Amino acid sequence: MTMKKTMRFLFLLVGLLMATVVKAYKIEEINHSHGSITAIKYGTTDVTVIGVNGTDIPFGQTVTMTVTPDAGYYLSSLVYEEVTPLDIALAPRRAPDIKPIHNITIPTNISTYLEAHFGGSYSFVMPENNVIITATFVECTSIISANLYWDSWDGTSALPQSKVYDGTAHTMKVRVGDTELTKDRHYTTTAYTLTNVDNITPTITGIGEYNGSISGTTTLSITQQPLTITANSQTISYGSSIQTGVSQVTTEGLVTGDALTSITLTPSTPQVTDAGTITPSAATTTKGISNYAVTYNTGALTIQAYDLSGIATVTFTQDYYNYDGSLHQPSIDNTDGSNMKVYYGETRLTQGSDFTASYTETNGVYTNGTNYTQPDIYTIDITFTGNYTGSKKVNYQIRPKITMSGNNVWYTYYNPTYNMKMPDEVKAYTISGNTQTQISLSPNNESGHGYIKAATPMLLYYTGASTDIYPELVKTDDSHLSTISSYTHYHGLSDATVVTSLPEYNTKDIWILVNNQFVRTDNGSIPANRCYLALVKNSITVPHFAPAINFGGLTGIDEPRDKKENVELKIYNLNGQRVQNPTKGLYIVNGKKIIIK
């Protein structure tokens, strides 16, 4: 055995004995270039590295150190290598027994270490061997040549540095050569993501394995998404408003998750038209209309004329005239001085542009004439035009004249032509029924009985001075007309008829009114528009209604038959007092009780 081998054996033996007893080991050396390893400690004890003379570190103690790369370098790896403790001067340290090399983890995700290019405090647990620590520092890669783009890159096409708005967030990517860098691992930045339409020109600063900085070299943008908004076509009536709201448009181009929230719709005209338009504008969306390049398309608008047939109202300054033989044709031009005015709601319509009114072919209801002088109901035809459609008929009338003259309280009247209503100051009676002993009368201008049909003889009662009265005319189809039964014994004569020979005298009694009393007669003439009563002879002595009915007197009569026979109607009430003008009630007439209704 040579001396060298003998010495190595002895040292090994001494080391084994000491380890058995002390179990303390040393850091034989540290290796580093372009950086430093300082502040080596276990606990609070500073550790010196001077070969076999270094500080003993008990097995199992945690050893800490500070590793610092030089500017422009980063810590690539940090390892400790277990070695057999040998005398530094006598034996190769790593021969013949090579122990494991252990990595000391570099916590690259910790920003404080990244700021120091992976420098910082590191540690390991002392093994049962001496160790050699080696730090490898590598020169940083410059980030100046980095490329910026959105989201991802297929490696062949142009880098996507512009995106069309799609409602999602887009993330900036940084690539140096073939390596895609990681934010906060390889670089820091002033801008990173965009969702809405905008652009960023970020500043990129390398950290960790990268150094340098770029600023203002690349702009990444989100551009507007094309959006088309088209108004729906609408058909409305004049005077109506178009329907509004987002349901009245269609859209093309809204991104997923976005929706139209409001829209302004403006019609091109309020007038009747087949060629109008509806223009959309001022749209808003959930995610913001500024993210879109909006194109607005108009929709068709049809405004139809509004039917005023059952809606328009017509007012007259005067809607009737009293017959005087003159022409009565009210003005209908709807001017301020016009007799007739036409309204839709509170709006007065304009003759010519809104309606036309005409008397043409508007003959009277009864006479079928158009001279506008005779008593009748005349019709004005209104035709709506322009923005309106439909038609309306309105009426005015010339009322017939009845002269109430003399001292007569009662007066008979008969006209075969008109349905009419007497003025309130005149009571009108018609026969409502009869028996063999009495005739019943009804007041036909009281409530519910206001109108009397044409060709109905009537008895008028009027206590005022002599005057002319003008009954109101009623259309033939008026539902308020009273139903008047026709009795053969109750006769009326037309304007053209004059009775010169009273009919059927031999079988009937003819009763007429003379000086407010009814008498029988058999000769003379009855004037036009007068009435007489023919009763079956001897059916009753005196009509029940005798004092309360006003049949017209005869003309050319010599003497009433009653007078020839010295018949005098004497009427008494139940108190025995003679009554000249009885009203409703029970009376005694010529010795017999009668009821006047």
Side-chain angles (χ1 to χ4, degrees):
M1 179 180 296
T2 62
M3 180 62 69
K4 184 179 292 188
K5 288 182 178 181
T6 301
M7 292 298 295
R8 181 173 180 77
F9 176 78
L10 291 174
F11 277 114
L12 286 173
L13 181 59
V14 171
L16 289 172
L17 292 173
M18 292 178 63
T20 300
V21 177
V22 180
K23 288 191 175 183
Y25 303 94
K26 301 179 185 297
I27 297 175
E28 292 190 5
E29 63 180 76
I30 57 174
N31 298 315
H32 52 79
S33 178
H34 304 296
S36 63
I37 299 175
T38 60
I40 303 173
K41 294 177 180 290
Y42 75 89
T44 58
T45 303
D46 292 330
V47 176
T48 58
V49 182
I50 310 176
V52 295
N53 296 317
T55 304
D56 290 333
I57 303 172
F59 164 68
Q61 283 289 318
T62 297
V63 179
T64 62
M65 69 197 82
T66 298
V67 180
T68 305
D70 290 344
Y73 291 82
Y74 67 92
L75 178 62
S76 175
S77 66
L78 181 63
V79 300
Y80 67 89
E81 177 185 2
E82 294 184 43
V83 296
T84 302
L86 297 174
D87 186 298
I88 300 172
L90 297 178
R93 283 172 238 158
R94 295 184 178 87
D97 298 318
I98 303 300
K99 302 296 183 181
I101 298 176
H102 302 275
N103 287 316
I104 300 174
T105 301
I106 302 173
T108 58
N109 62 329
I110 299 177
S111 60
T112 55
Y113 288 6
L114 291 176
E115 290 173 0
H117 295 253
F118 307 131
S121 178
Y122 293 87
S123 64
F124 67 96
V125 177
M126 194 67 185
E128 293 184 279
N129 272 309
N130 288 356
V131 298
I132 297 173
I133 299 173
T134 301
T136 303
F137 297 97
V138 177
E139 187 176 6
C140 293
T141 301
S142 175
I143 206 169
I144 293 176
S145 61
N147 291 310
L148 311 182
Y149 57 96
W150 285 127
D151 300 333
S152 63
W153 181 48
D154 61 12
T156 58
S157 59
L159 291 171
Q161 296 176 333
S162 178
K163 286 279 189 178
V164 176
Y165 172 75
D166 61 7
T168 62
H170 294 280
T171 303
M172 179 186 70
K173 299 294 184 179
V174 178
R175 181 180 292 272
V176 174
D178 295 331
T179 303
E180 184 177 290
L181 307 188
T182 301
K183 180 178 176 292
D184 296 328
R185 165 68 172 79
H186 298 124
Y187 66 90
T188 60
T189 181
T190 57
Y192 185 56
T193 62
L194 277 183
T195 299
N196 295 325
V197 170
D198 204 346
N199 60 75
I200 57 173
T201 305
T203 295
I204 305 295
T205 301
I207 57 175
E209 299 147 49
Y210 295 86
N211 66 355
S213 178
I214 57 175
S215 178
T217 59
T218 303
T219 297
L220 301 179
S221 62
I222 304 294
T223 61
Q224 289 179 318
Q225 160 75 12
L227 173 61
T228 300
I229 301 177
T230 303
N232 297 342
S233 297
Q234 296 189 39
T235 298
I236 62 174
S237 295
Y238 173 75
S240 300
S241 299
I242 63 171
Q243 293 182 312
T244 58
V246 297
S247 63
Q248 299 306 314
V249 298
T250 57
T251 62
E252 183 179 355
L254 281 174
V255 302
T256 302
D258 203 0
L260 203 64
T261 54
S262 68
I263 189 73
T264 297
L265 296 175
T266 305
S268 61
T269 177
Q271 307 302 321
V272 167
T273 179
D274 291 327
T277 57
I278 300 173
T279 301
S281 62
T284 62
T285 69
T286 305
K287 294 186 175 182
I289 196 63
S290 60
N291 291 311
Y292 298 93
V294 184
T295 299
Y296 293 104
N297 292 334
T298 61
L301 173 62
T302 301
I303 302 179
Q304 298 175 335
Y306 188 57
D307 191 348
L308 293 183
S309 297
I311 300 175
T313 57
V314 180
T315 63
F316 284 93
T317 303
Q318 183 176 352
D319 62 356
Y320 73 90
Y321 301 86
N322 293 330
Y323 172 75
D324 59 5
S326 302
L327 177 69
H328 292 291
Q329 194 172 16
S331 59
I332 56 175
D333 59 8
N334 209 43
T335 59
D336 287 342
S338 173
N339 183 71
M340 184 188 76
K341 296 179 177 62
V342 183
Y343 291 88
Y344 168 39
E346 296 182 358
T347 301
R348 194 170 91 188
L349 304 184
T350 301
Q351 168 85 324
S353 60
D354 295 330
F355 74 93
T356 59
S358 174
Y359 290 99
T360 306
E361 302 300 328
T362 54
N363 298 342
V365 170
Y366 295 106
T367 65
N368 201 33
T370 57
N371 62 12
Y372 309 107
T373 62
Q374 296 302 310
D376 210 335
I377 297 175
Y378 295 100
T379 302
I380 301 171
D381 291 322
I382 298 174
T383 301
F384 299 103
T385 186
N387 290 318
Y388 305 100
T389 188
S391 61
K392 188 178 184 70
K393 293 181 181 294
V394 292
N395 300 312
Y396 77 98
Q397 59 182 259
I398 300 176
R399 296 179 176 178
K401 179 173 73 172
I402 301 175
T403 300
M404 307 286 288
S405 61
N407 296 319
N408 292 335
V409 173
W410 298 100
Y411 193 83
T412 62
Y413 184 73
Y414 172 83
N415 190 298
T417 305
Y418 308 115
N419 302 315
M420 61 178 59
K421 176 185 177 183
M422 289 297 167
D424 291 340
E425 66 269 19
V426 177
K427 289 186 178 181
Y429 295 88
T430 60
I431 290 180
S432 59
N434 74 295
T435 67
Q436 289 186 347
T437 60
Q438 67 178 21
I439 294 174
S440 300
L441 299 177
S442 294
N444 282 103
N445 61 335
E446 293 184 1
S447 176
H449 301 279
Y451 300 106
I452 304 172
K453 277 188 174 181
T456 301
M458 67 187 84
L459 182 62
L460 307 181
Y461 179 78
Y462 178 71
T463 58
S466 298
T467 186
D468 293 329
I469 64 171
Y470 299 90
E472 176 186 346
L473 299 184
V474 184
K475 291 191 297 182
T476 56
D477 59 352
D478 197 298
S479 61
H480 294 89
L481 288 171
S482 299
T483 301
I484 305 299
S485 300
S486 176
Y487 294 90
T488 59
H489 56 263
Y490 191 42
H491 295 276
L493 303 177
S494 68
D495 289 350
T497 302
V498 176
V499 174
T500 57
S501 177
L502 297 177
E504 303 179 16
Y505 173 71
N506 293 330
T507 59
K508 297 182 179 179
D509 284 337
I510 306 302
W511 289 84
I512 63 173
L513 183 66
V514 177
N515 296 325
N516 293 322
Q517 292 188 1
F518 280 95
V519 297
R520 289 174 293 174
T521 188
D522 58 2
N523 63 2
S525 300
I526 298 177
N529 296 328
R530 292 287 193 270
C531 307
Y532 68 93
L533 181 64
L535 296 178
V536 176
K537 191 173 183 179
N538 298 324
S539 61
I540 55 175
T541 304
V542 179
H544 173 71
F545 53 84
I549 196 166
N550 184 14
F551 287 93
L554 297 176
T555 59
I557 187 170
D558 293 331
E559 183 179 16
R561 184 175 170 185
D562 284 32
K563 290 186 177 181
K564 289 181 180 181
E565 298 178 1
N566 295 320
V567 176
E568 182 180 4
L569 298 178
K570 296 181 180 180
I571 304 172
Y572 297 90
N573 60 26
L574 296 181
N575 294 323
Q577 298 168 323
R578 188 168 183 176
V579 178
Q580 294 294 331
N581 297 307
T583 58
K584 295 179 182 180
L586 181 64
Y587 297 91
I588 299 173
V589 180
N590 288 350
K592 294 183 178 181
K593 291 182 179 180
I594 64 171
I595 298 174
I596 299 178
K597 294 185 176 180

